[in-house]
Amino acid sequence: TFDAGSGRYAATFDLAAVGTLPFTVGARDAAGNVATSPGSFVAFDDQPPALSFIETIPPTQELGGDTVLSAQASDNIAVTGVWAVVDGSTNLTMAPSASTPGTFTATVTSPAVGAHTFEVWATDAAGHPVSASGTFEVQDTVAPTLEHTPVTTGHRTTEINLTATADDLGGVAGVYIAYKGTNGRDGNIS
């Protein structure tokens, strides 16, 4: 555009790249004579990436299952890295999704029972970082597995040997045997 007050021409445009960019200014007079002058300028990226749709799949997981962290990351130039920090110490690289462009995922393998925190980070080529945080829960609602050898008969004065094994992903807190004695009283051995 021409500014009649200053007698200058100006152009505004969006840049699709960063770095040193060359340009040429040219002018033509009414007789068709052309003059050109080359130059260059440095374009830099001053915008960090953006993170959105931070989620865990599923938001509450059963003990022994994996939890998937998911986030969408975008940048005006390019996202160069996305990772997650779980519970302040476990670093996981988040990989781009093959089915959803701009979405990155990482799997937290068999986290412990309880509340967990995570922070997703993204950077661009200029090194600008951005982060967003979230939480997920792991619960244990599955009873232990229990196996025992049944006792079919026993004499009143004979010792009875009962063997049992128990297993649970969250650990077995205790094993007990509840019984009703010959005197009609309930009993419990742990």
Side-chain angles (χ1 to χ4, degrees):
T1 60
F2 178 69
D3 180 346
S6 67
R8 295 182 176 197
Y9 287 89
T12 302
F13 47 94
D14 291 327
L15 302 175
V18 294
T20 302
L21 302 174
F23 66 89
T24 301
V25 175
R28 183 177 53 242
D29 63 16
N33 300 309
V34 176
T36 61
S37 176
S40 66
F41 61 92
V42 177
F44 60 93
D45 179 9
D46 62 352
Q47 296 179 5
L51 287 170
S52 59
F53 300 106
I54 311 301
E55 64 180 339
T56 57
I57 305 164
T60 302
Q61 177 61 277
E62 184 63 37
L63 179 64
D66 295 340
T67 299
V68 176
L69 307 179
S70 177
Q72 286 190 356
S74 60
D75 188 66
N76 61 325
I77 304 296
V79 173
T80 57
V82 181
W83 69 96
V85 179
V86 179
D87 293 333
S89 62
T90 303
N91 290 312
L92 300 171
T93 300
M94 296 183 75
S97 167
S99 60
T100 310
T103 298
F104 295 80
T105 62
T107 300
V108 182
T109 304
S110 300
V113 171
H116 297 273
T117 60
F118 67 92
E119 195 165 18
V120 174
W121 288 85
T123 56
D124 62 10
H128 299 119
V130 65
S131 69
S133 60
T135 62
F136 65 94
E137 182 81 24
V138 175
Q139 60 188 5
D140 182 2
T141 62
V142 177
T145 59
L146 180 65
E147 293 182 21
H148 69 88
T149 306
V151 176
T152 56
T153 60
H155 293 281
R156 199 171 66 120
T157 58
T158 305
E159 185 176 295
I160 297 172
N161 188 11
L162 178 63
T163 303
T165 57
D167 189 27
D168 188 79
L169 287 174
V172 176
V175 177
Y176 66 91
I177 301 169
Y179 63 91
K180 184 168 286 290
T182 57
N183 59 5
R185 293 186 185 165
D186 291 337
N188 192 335
I189 300 171
S190 55

